[in-house]
């Protein structure tokens, strides 16, 4: 550990290099550091100390060597003794991106607190910092924690592989946070994504647990939970009991054979997402894209191919493919950030979905059709869909976002296995459980 350049938190050369690297990579952080270095109250090392206090596994204060450092030590000690600091540390400990975001959120209020602290200490006689100053620090820590969690959501929303956020490159995290934070749509989508993905994975886990729940046949085995009653009744007869145990050891008891939906080699998941102009209203676009992101997360868990088909008018169609549900964060952001904001045509995206399903070597594909509009579908396409449903066990689930309750779902009913009508995007729990429980 070293105690140079005015640092008060014990640190290593690696810590100093990381701080320098971050200020070089993040212009906003560099401006804040320059502001502290130019401050007449001697706050040059305030932000590096704050970063180390938030980032290091076990931050420890070194003995001060100057009067200025002694005052700064008192301020840092007050900050680090608070419950709000300990709560923030849960998010920032050993996480450079989160620590840097917390420093940016705390820089201005901490510098102001430092100036106030100095003012109190330089008064004649010295005055102890008021409780209001400590309370202001705690309030700033709470606001910083909320800001860090928001920035964290902006970055982690695009992780479709649980645990992959731990492998996130620092520069990539900074770039993603800026890109997402600059777009109101992507900000809203990122904040919805956590709940949607959590619900989708929870529904997926329920399906897996219930995967084998349909009686299909009778077989030989020794699973007592599935043994037929006619076998179990032998246990009540002393003469037949030895025969039961002999057949149990030989795995020759009659038992039910169960099957379920969860089988290997399911077909692709295709999300047809209405990108027309009307979807830009009332948060519809963000909601639909959060559904698509949640379905991509489940597709990766199930190792299924995934495609997101943006559609608008008849000439507007853009497809983003993810083999086995795998894609880097930037690819996911690009796919979900796309939109036409034009008209509405149902035939083009359905044709694209059919083409992808026909190219797959697996059956039992799922198509999720998300729209807030109405359009016609020709008889030829309906016939093709009927044939491919029969040949590949294709299922189509449609969600009609209909705040007014006045939209006609007749066309959706003609090609969908099920149509969910959603009137209130803030009361979507039942619809999401139904949708995620079936895909």
């Amino acid at each position: 550990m070293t105690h140079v350049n005015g640092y008060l938190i014990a640190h290593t050369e690696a810590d100093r290099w990381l701080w320098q690297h971050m200020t070089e990579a993040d212009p906003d952080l560099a401006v804040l550091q320059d502001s502290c270095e130019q401050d007449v109250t001697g706050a040059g090392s305030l932000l590096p100390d704050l970063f180390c206090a938030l980032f290091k596994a076990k931050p420890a204060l070194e003995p001060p060597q100057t009067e200025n450092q002694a005052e700064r030590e008192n301020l840092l000690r007050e900050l680090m003794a608070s419950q709000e600091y300990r709560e923030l540390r849960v998010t920032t400990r050993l996480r450079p991106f989160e620590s840097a975001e917390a420093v940016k959120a705390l820089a201005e209020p901490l510098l102001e607190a430092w100036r106030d602290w100095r003012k109190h200490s330089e008064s004649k006689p010295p005055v102890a910092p008021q409780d209001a100053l400590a309370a202001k620090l705690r309030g700033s820590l709470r606001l910083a924690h909320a800001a860090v969690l928001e920035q964290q959501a902006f970055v982690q929303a695009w992780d479709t592989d649980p645990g992959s956020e731990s492998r996130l490159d620092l520069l990539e995290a900074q770039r993603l946070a800026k890109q997402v934070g600059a777009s109101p749509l992507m900000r809203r989508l990122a904040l919805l994504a956590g709940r949607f993905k959590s619900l989708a994975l929870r529904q997926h886990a329920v399906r897996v647990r219930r995967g084998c729940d349909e009686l299909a046949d009778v077989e030989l085995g020794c699973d007592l939970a599935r043994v037929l009653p006619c076998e179990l009744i032998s246990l009540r007869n002393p003469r037949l009991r030895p025969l039961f145990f002999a057949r149990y050891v030989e795995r020759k008891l009659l038992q039910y054979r169960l099957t379920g939906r969860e089988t290997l080699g399911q077909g692709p998941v295709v999300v047809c997402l209405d990108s027309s102009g009307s979807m830009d209203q009332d948060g519809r676009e963000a909601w639909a894209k959060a559904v698509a992101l949640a379905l991509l997360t489940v597709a990766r868990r199930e190792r299924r191919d995934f495609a997101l088909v943006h559609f608008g008018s008849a000439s507007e169609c853009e497809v983003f493919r993810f083999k086995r549900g795998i894609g880097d964060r930037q690819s996911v952001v690009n796919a979900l950030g796309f939109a036409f904001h034009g008209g509405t045509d149902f035939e083009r995206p359905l044709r694209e979905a059919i083409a992808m399903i026909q190219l797959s070597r697996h059956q039992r594909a799922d198509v999720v059709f998300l729209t807030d509009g109405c359009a016609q579908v020709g008889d030829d396409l309906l016939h093709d869909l009927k044939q491919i449903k029969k040949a590949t066990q294709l299922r189509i689930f449609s969600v009609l976002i209909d705040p007014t309750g006045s939209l006609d779902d007749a066309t959706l009913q003609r090609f969908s296995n099920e149509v969910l009508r959603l009137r209130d995007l803030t009361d979507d729990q039942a619809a999401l459980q139904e949708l995620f429980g079936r895909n």
Side-chain angles (χ1 to χ4, degrees):
M1 295 288 184
T2 61
H3 183 37
V4 295
N5 294 338
Y7 278 62
L8 277 173
I9 302 292
H11 65 286
T12 64
E13 288 296 322
D15 296 326
R16 292 175 57 198
W17 176 87
L18 180 59
W19 173 251
Q20 181 179 354
H21 174 65
M22 297 191 68
T23 54
E24 291 173 351
D26 190 333
D28 295 336
L29 197 59
V31 168
L32 291 170
Q33 176 60 20
D34 289 342
S35 176
C36 286
E37 290 177 350
Q38 295 168 14
D39 192 86
V40 295
T41 59
S45 297
L46 191 60
L47 296 192
D49 271 335
L50 177 60
F51 175 78
C52 289
L54 294 167
F55 171 73
K56 291 185 68 64
K58 295 181 178 180
L61 284 163
E62 293 275 277
Q65 298 177 355
T66 66
E67 182 180 348
N68 180 284
Q69 287 183 358
E71 295 300 331
R72 188 149 39 89
E73 180 198 30
N74 290 333
L75 177 63
L76 289 171
R77 197 177 295 280
E78 179 77 24
L79 181 143
M80 295 169 67
S82 67
Q83 177 64 26
E84 289 79 5
Y85 165 78
R86 290 190 288 272
E87 292 172 356
L88 177 57
R89 280 264 299 163
V90 173
T91 306
T92 62
R93 181 177 180 271
L94 299 180
R95 294 179 175 177
F97 169 73
E98 286 82 353
S99 298
E101 291 301 316
V103 169
K104 288 194 290 186
L106 283 168
E108 291 295 340
L110 190 62
L111 184 57
E112 182 181 347
W114 166 247
R115 290 167 181 158
D116 289 344
W117 199 283
R118 291 282 294 174
K119 186 186 302 182
H120 285 298
S121 66
E122 292 172 355
S123 63
K124 301 297 183 180
V127 179
Q130 300 174 356
D131 290 341
L133 185 57
K136 186 183 292 186
L137 268 180
R138 293 195 297 271
S140 298
L141 284 166
R142 286 193 293 270
L143 292 175
H145 196 185
V148 171
L149 290 176
E150 183 180 60
Q151 293 297 315
Q152 192 179 57
F154 292 168
V155 173
Q156 294 182 0
W158 323 108
D159 293 313
T160 57
D161 181 20
S164 63
E165 66 272 6
S166 62
R167 303 189 295 272
L168 182 63
D169 176 77
L170 175 61
L171 294 180
E172 183 184 4
Q174 292 174 330
R175 177 176 50 76
L176 275 177
K178 286 183 179 295
Q179 181 180 356
V180 174
S183 167
L185 168 67
M186 299 302 279
R187 287 168 62 96
R188 183 165 185 168
L189 168 55
L191 296 175
L192 284 173
R195 180 172 72 93
F196 282 33
K197 290 196 294 183
S198 176
L199 179 58
L201 291 174
R202 192 158 61 245
Q203 292 295 110
H204 171 264
V206 169
R207 293 208 319 271
V208 170
R209 287 196 299 270
R210 297 177 180 173
C212 293
D213 57 3
E214 297 179 7
L215 298 180
D217 205 343
V218 174
E219 62 185 2
L220 298 179
C222 61
D223 187 343
L224 294 178
R226 295 189 284 133
V227 169
L228 269 61
C230 63
E231 295 278 22
L232 293 173
I233 202 171
S234 300
L235 291 172
R236 302 190 62 181
N237 189 320
R239 294 183 179 180
L240 296 178
R241 195 176 299 144
L243 180 60
F244 175 90
F245 287 123
R247 295 178 61 172
Y248 173 79
V249 171
E250 296 172 356
R251 306 174 67 90
K252 290 185 178 180
L253 292 172
L254 291 173
Q255 65 183 32
Y256 293 114
R257 181 167 65 84
L258 304 180
T259 61
R261 291 181 49 215
E262 297 301 318
T263 60
L264 295 176
Q266 290 192 27
V269 177
V270 182
V271 176
C272 297
L273 196 154
D274 188 344
S275 291
S276 63
S278 59
M279 287 288 284
D280 198 25
Q281 305 174 35
D282 307 322
R284 302 175 196 178
E285 184 178 1
W287 188 91
K289 289 180 175 179
V291 169
L293 179 56
L295 292 172
L296 172 58
T297 303
V298 174
R300 177 162 185 158
R301 177 71 63 88
E302 296 179 342
R303 301 186 295 279
R304 299 172 67 182
D305 291 345
F306 180 93
L308 177 59
V309 182
H310 288 274
F311 66 91
S313 60
S315 61
E316 296 174 328
C317 190
E318 189 73 19
V319 181
F320 295 86
R321 294 178 173 83
F322 298 86
K323 187 71 174 176
R324 299 172 70 84
I326 298 173
D328 60 59
R329 295 173 186 84
Q330 191 58 55
S331 298
V332 176
V333 170
N334 292 343
L336 294 169
F338 185 88
F340 287 114
H341 296 154
T344 304
D345 176 78
F346 286 177
E347 291 216 6
R348 179 75 181 275
L350 289 171
R351 289 289 183 193
E352 291 286 347
I354 289 174
M356 283 180 278
I357 292 166
Q358 289 176 329
L359 291 175
S360 174
R361 58 190 180 90
H362 299 302
Q363 294 191 340
R364 302 176 63 205
D366 290 313
V367 173
V368 178
F369 202 90
L370 304 169
T371 183
D372 69 342
C374 303
Q376 296 301 312
V377 174
D379 291 338
D380 290 344
L381 177 55
L382 292 173
H383 178 268
D384 292 343
L385 285 170
K386 183 177 180 180
Q387 292 298 110
I388 198 170
K389 279 185 177 182
K390 183 176 180 181
T392 67
Q393 302 179 56
L394 163 67
R395 301 174 305 168
I396 303 178
F397 298 95
S398 295
V399 178
L400 178 61
I401 302 173
D402 182 17
T404 64
S406 61
L407 292 178
D408 184 4
D409 65 355
T411 300
L412 294 176
Q413 295 285 1
R414 294 183 71 189
F415 64 77
S416 305
N417 294 66
E418 187 172 347
V419 177
L420 301 175
R421 185 187 294 268
L422 185 62
R423 295 193 60 174
D424 185 359
L425 294 181
T426 63
D427 185 21
D428 57 4
Q429 187 76 7
L432 290 174
Q433 287 179 335
E434 180 75 12
L435 179 62
F436 296 147
R438 294 180 177 275
N439 291 276

